[in-house]
Amino acid sequence: MCGIVGYVGEKLATDVILEGLQKLEYRGYDSSGVAILGSGKLKFRKIAGRLSNLISSVEENPVEGTIGIGHTRWATHGAPSDVNAHPHTNEDGTIAVVHNGIIENYMTLKNELIEKGYNFESDTDTEIVAKLLDMYYEGDLLQAVFKMVKRLKGAYALGIVSSNNPDELIAVRKESPLILGVGDDELFVASDIPAILNRTRKVIYLENNDIVKLTREGYTIYNVDRNVVEREVKEILWDVEAATKEGYDHFMIKEINQQSSVIKDTLFRRLDDKGNIYLENVNIDSKYLTTINKIYIVACGTAYHAGLIGKHILEKFLNLHVIIDIASEFRYGNNFVDDKTLMIVVSQSGETADTLAALRLAKSKGARILSITNVVGSTVARESDDIFYTWAGPEIAVASTKAYTTQLTAFYMISLYFGKLKGTLGDEIYNEILSELKSLPAKVKAAIEESEKVAREIAEKIKNKRSLFYIGRGLDYYTAMEGALKLKEISYIQAEAFAAGELKHGSIALIEKDTPVIAIATQRDLYEKTVSNIKEVKARGAYTIGITRVSNKDLENVCDSVIYLDETYDIFMPLLSVISPQLLAYYAAVERGNDVDKPRNLAKSVTVE
C-alpha cells in the first residue's frame, strides 16, 4: 500500500517525482524517498515521516538528474524509519529499488542471501529485491530483473534503476497496480493516474507479469518469458482538477459533496434511449439467470457494508438466495461456490488483495465473476467476466464516501436489471422503482445541505467523548455499521453499531449518562420498534440523535436532536441516511484536529492480506 513514481526524460527528475508523490500520499505517508541518476551516479534521499520532510530535505540539498524513482510508504515490514524507507539498495549502492506490495517468500530468500554473504540493514522485504538483483547482475539490468522475478512470490510493483545502466529504468508489475505514462519525449511509471495527470493523459495499464524497460528512446514491454508484448495506449479523460481539492479544506468533504453528481453519472450514463437500464459491460442474459442457484457477494470494509445492502436488494428483486462474506475470511470457511454461482466482488480500488484472492478461488471453482469497482483497468476488473464501473472519479481521502454511495447505486441498478431480465420484476414495478431511483441524486444533494449544520453542532458535542453508538434495524443497521466505521476511521472515537433489537440482550449495559447514541430510523415497517429501542437507551441517560424521514416528526419527542431526510422507498433510504454519518465523522475529526484525509495507520488501497 505504497506509492511509486518513476521518470525518464530531460526534466529534473526530482521535481517530477515529488510532484507525483504528492498526488499519491494517500497511498502511504509514514516515510518517503527518491533515487536519482545524474552524471552516471546514483544519488539517494529518504526520510521518515510525511512527504513534506523529504521535500524540505531536497530543497536544502538538491538531488539532480533526469532519470529516477520515488516512493511514499505505508509500512508492512518494519516500523517507519529512515532505514526502512525506500528506495533500498545493494551493498555498494549501485542498484536502487522501490516497491509496493509484499514479497511472501522474503524470509527464505533473505536467509539464502545471508548464507551467500549479503548483509541487510532494514527490516523490509524490499531489500531482498535489491540484493537478488545484485546477485544476478552481469552487466545487463534487464536480464538481472528477468532472473530475479522468477524467484519472487507475492504481489508487487517495482521500480528499479542502476548507476551501471544510467540511461534506463525498469518497472515490474505483479498483482499490484502500476501504470506507464507516455509523454512528449518523456516517460513515467506510477501507482495511480493522479501522479502523472499534470504531465500526460496517455496511459498504458500494465498487466500482470509485465516488465517494462524505459529509456529516452522509448519503452519496451516484456512478459516473464522475455517476449515483447504490445499494450494499448489509452487517453485519460478526467479533468485535471478532479484530483485536487477545488477549494475545499479536505478531499473528504469535497468527495462527500460530489456524491449527488457521481451517483447521477453512474446511473444516467447507463440508461438507453427509452430510459431503461443498459449495462454494456455485463453480458449476463435471462437464460444464465435461470441456471444459477445462488449469488455470493464478497468485499471488505466499506465495500462489505454496501454488499450487505446489495444482498437485501438482490434477494428482494430476484427471489434468489444471496450469501455475503468478508473477503479475508472467504477462503478459510466452508464456501459453496460452483459453476452455478454468480459472485459479485466489490472493491473501490480494484486491487484489494483479500478480494482478489477470493475472486480467484471462486473462479477456479467455475463461478462467474461480476465486479463492482471504481478503477478502470484494475486487476479485479481485468480478471472478472463482467464489470460495473462506478464512475465515482478519483477518491483521494482514505475514508470512502462517494465510492460507497456509487457502489450502492450499482447494486440498485444491477438488481433492477437482473429482476427485469429474469422476470421476477414486472414492467410496472420496474418502471416505478427506476423512476424513483432517478430522483435520488437530487435527494442526496438535499440530504447534504440539510445535514451539514446539524452534523457540525453534533460534532462539537461529541468531540471529547470516549465512545459512541449507532443503532438501527433492517437496512438501517447496515448504515449504522458504515456510520460507526467512518467515525472510527477518522475521528478515532470508539464507535460501535448495534442492531437496535439486540440492545436488551447485552449491549445496553454500555449505556450511561450522556452516552451519545445515533439512531437511524427510516424503515417504515420497523419504525415503531426502533422508537421503542431509542426510548430504552434514553431511559438509561443516553444523548440521542435521530436520523429519519421527514414524515416522522414525532421523533422530536424522543430524541435530543433529529436530522430529517426526503421521502423515498425504504430500499433507497441507505443512500440518503449515510450522508449524515459521513458529515458527522468528518466534522468530529476536524474538531479533534485530526488529519482527515490521511488517518493514522490506514491507507487507501489495501494490497496486502
Side-chain angles (χ1 to χ4, degrees):
M1 291 179 286
C2 307
I4 291 172
V5 179
Y7 176 74
V8 175
E10 299 298 330
K11 298 183 177 70
L12 287 174
T14 309
D15 293 346
V16 176
I17 291 167
L18 291 177
E19 176 189 284
L21 290 178
Q22 285 179 298
K23 300 296 194 304
L24 295 183
E25 199 175 4
Y26 67 93
R27 296 181 64 90
Y29 38 84
D30 59 40
S31 61
S32 55
V34 292
I36 306 297
L37 283 165
S39 303
K41 296 181 179 180
L42 194 52
K43 307 164 191 175
F44 303 94
R45 191 67 47 78
K46 59 181 189 173
I47 192 166
R50 292 295 171 89
L51 182 63
S52 57
N53 295 347
L54 177 64
I55 293 172
S56 297
S57 175
V58 170
E59 287 175 350
E60 292 172 6
N61 187 9
V63 183
E64 295 186 352
T66 56
I67 294 177
I69 50 178
H71 187 271
T72 181
R73 181 175 185 251
W74 185 85
T76 55
H77 292 72
S81 68
D82 291 356
V83 171
N84 288 332
H86 297 214
H88 289 283
T89 70
N90 60 342
E91 291 185 30
D92 64 6
T94 58
I95 297 173
V97 177
V98 292
H99 165 220
N100 177 25
I102 284 183
I103 309 301
E104 294 176 355
N105 61 333
Y106 89 100
M107 281 305 302
T108 301
L109 294 170
K110 185 173 184 177
N111 290 334
E112 175 188 326
L113 288 162
I114 289 171
E115 289 179 4
K116 292 180 182 295
Y118 284 92
N119 298 308
F120 288 81
E121 296 182 352
S122 76
D123 300 316
T124 70
D125 54 342
T126 307
E127 193 177 357
I128 67 106
V129 176
K131 300 298 197 292
L132 275 176
L133 285 169
D134 181 89
M135 185 173 73
Y136 288 123
Y137 185 79
E138 295 177 343
D140 188 321
L141 183 61
L142 179 62
Q143 295 305 315
V145 170
F146 282 134
K147 294 175 183 177
M148 179 270 299
V149 296
K150 295 283 190 181
R151 302 293 311 279
L152 301 184
K153 295 180 181 178
Y156 50 85
L158 302 170
I160 303 162
V161 290
S162 171
S163 57
N164 293 322
N165 298 82
D167 299 318
E168 62 189 55
L169 186 160
I170 309 294
V172 182
R173 183 199 191 283
K174 184 183 180 186
E175 315 292 359
S176 191
L178 198 66
I179 60 168
L180 171 63
V182 182
D184 295 329
D185 299 320
E186 56 186 357
L187 296 166
F188 313 83
V189 290
S191 297
D192 206 352
I193 290 169
I196 62 172
L197 203 54
N198 284 333
R199 303 283 178 171
T200 183
R201 291 181 174 273
K202 294 179 180 179
V203 167
I204 295 171
Y205 294 98
L206 295 174
E207 297 189 8
N208 238 7
N209 299 309
D210 278 355
I211 299 169
V212 55
K213 178 179 177 179
L214 293 73
T215 69
R216 289 184 178 85
E217 284 68 47
Y219 65 89
T220 307
I221 303 174
Y222 304 86
N223 60 24
V224 290
D225 296 320
R226 310 189 186 194
N227 298 317
V228 175
V229 293
E230 298 295 327
R231 301 285 181 241
E232 182 183 0
V233 178
K234 296 190 176 182
E235 188 84 10
I236 300 301
L237 301 178
W238 299 348
D239 185 341
V240 174
E241 291 300 308
T244 66
K245 292 179 185 175
E246 297 180 0
Y248 288 96
D249 290 337
H250 302 92
F251 282 112
M252 184 177 179
I253 190 63
K254 171 192 168 185
E255 289 157 9
I256 289 172
N257 279 279
Q258 285 181 318
Q259 288 177 108
S260 174
S261 61
V262 296
I263 291 168
K264 186 175 181 179
D265 286 344
T266 297
L267 171 59
F268 282 85
R269 287 170 63 182
R270 289 187 172 88
L271 300 179
D272 63 20
D273 293 341
K274 296 181 180 179
N276 291 315
I277 295 170
Y278 172 67
L279 306 182
E280 61 180 351
N281 293 314
V282 179
N283 300 308
I284 290 173
D285 56 21
S286 57
K287 182 180 179 182
Y288 173 76
L289 290 173
T290 62
T291 65
I292 60 174
N293 54 29
K294 60 186 166 302
I295 296 174
Y296 256 95
I297 299 173
V298 175
C300 302
T302 285
Y304 175 74
H305 297 156
L308 288 167
I309 293 167
K311 166 183 163 65
H312 179 96
I313 308 305
L314 284 163
E315 288 183 335
K316 186 179 184 70
F317 289 176
L318 271 70
N319 192 29
L320 187 66
H321 184 40
V322 180
I323 303 166
I324 182 164
D325 205 353
I326 298 169
S328 58
E329 299 294 329
F330 176 77
R331 290 174 295 154
Y332 307 106
N334 294 321
N335 58 70
F336 303 95
V337 173
D338 55 26
D339 59 0
K340 290 184 171 56
T341 303
L342 172 65
M343 176 180 276
I344 301 177
V345 299
V346 193
S347 168
Q348 183 279 140
S349 67
E351 304 293 345
T352 311
D354 292 320
T355 305
L356 276 166
L359 180 159
R360 288 163 182 159
L361 176 60
K363 204 165 186 179
S364 72
K365 293 186 173 186
R368 182 168 185 153
I369 309 297
L370 165 58
S371 62
I372 298 174
T373 184
N374 190 41
V375 180
V376 176
S378 61
T379 305
V380 161
R382 290 200 308 275
E383 296 192 15
S384 297
D385 301 293
D386 307 280
I387 311 164
F388 189 112
Y389 289 119
T390 53
W391 291 330
E395 188 179 64
I396 307 302
V398 168
S400 180
T401 53
K402 64 177 182 173
Y404 174 74
T405 48
T406 53
Q407 286 165 0
L408 291 186
T409 304
F411 272 116
Y412 291 134
M413 296 183 72
I414 290 167
S415 301
L416 279 169
Y417 182 70
F418 285 176
K420 187 176 182 183
L421 274 179
K422 191 179 179 185
T424 48
L425 274 183
D427 288 346
E428 184 177 348
I429 296 175
Y430 167 86
N431 290 329
E432 183 181 316
I433 296 172
L434 179 55
S435 177
E436 181 61 19
L437 180 58
K438 292 174 183 177
S439 75
L440 288 181
K443 293 180 179 181
V444 168
K445 184 177 182 180
I448 296 169
E449 294 169 352
E450 293 296 321
S451 300
E452 185 100 19
K453 182 175 181 293
V454 182
R456 284 176 182 266
E457 293 171 353
I458 296 170
E460 175 66 29
K461 292 178 181 179
I462 70 167
K463 66 181 181 181
N464 294 319
K465 296 293 184 181
R466 289 184 305 143
S467 60
L468 178 147
F469 302 107
Y470 274 90
I471 63 172
R473 299 179 76 124
L475 290 176
D476 288 337
Y477 173 48
Y478 305 144
T479 304
M481 294 170 69
E482 175 60 14
L485 177 61
K486 281 292 152 292
L487 196 67
K488 283 184 282 196
E489 282 180 310
I490 62 171
S491 77
Y492 317 144
I493 296 171
Q494 174 62 36
E496 295 298 332
F498 297 122
E502 289 294 296
L503 286 168
K504 55 187 175 290
H505 297 298
S507 52
I508 201 168
L510 297 170
I511 304 300
E512 55 189 7
K513 182 175 171 53
D514 294 329
T515 300
V517 176
I518 300 174
I520 304 173
T522 70
Q523 302 297 296
R524 289 184 175 90
D525 290 346
L526 294 165
Y527 177 70
E528 293 299 332
K529 293 185 182 296
T530 305
V531 170
S532 295
N533 300 139
I534 298 170
K535 290 179 179 178
E536 290 170 1
V537 297
K538 186 71 174 173
R540 273 81 178 171
Y543 167 69
T544 55
I545 303 114
I547 299 173
T548 192
R549 56 179 73 239
V550 72
S551 59
N552 294 329
K553 290 292 185 181
D554 61 310
L555 201 60
E556 292 178 0
N557 301 324
V558 183
C559 292
D560 296 290
S561 183
V562 181
I563 298 172
Y564 291 108
L565 307 170
D566 281 346
E567 296 290 335
T568 189
Y569 297 159
D570 281 11
I571 58 170
F572 293 143
M573 287 307 301
L575 207 55
L576 305 184
S577 60
V578 76
I579 300 298
S580 302
Q582 290 174 347
L583 287 165
L584 177 58
Y586 171 76
Y587 285 115
V590 171
E591 288 288 339
R592 289 164 68 90
N594 295 348
D595 191 337
V596 175
D597 290 332
K598 304 182 187 76
R600 67 189 184 200
N601 303 332
L602 300 178
K604 185 66 176 173
S605 181
V606 186
T607 56
V608 296
E609 295 182 47

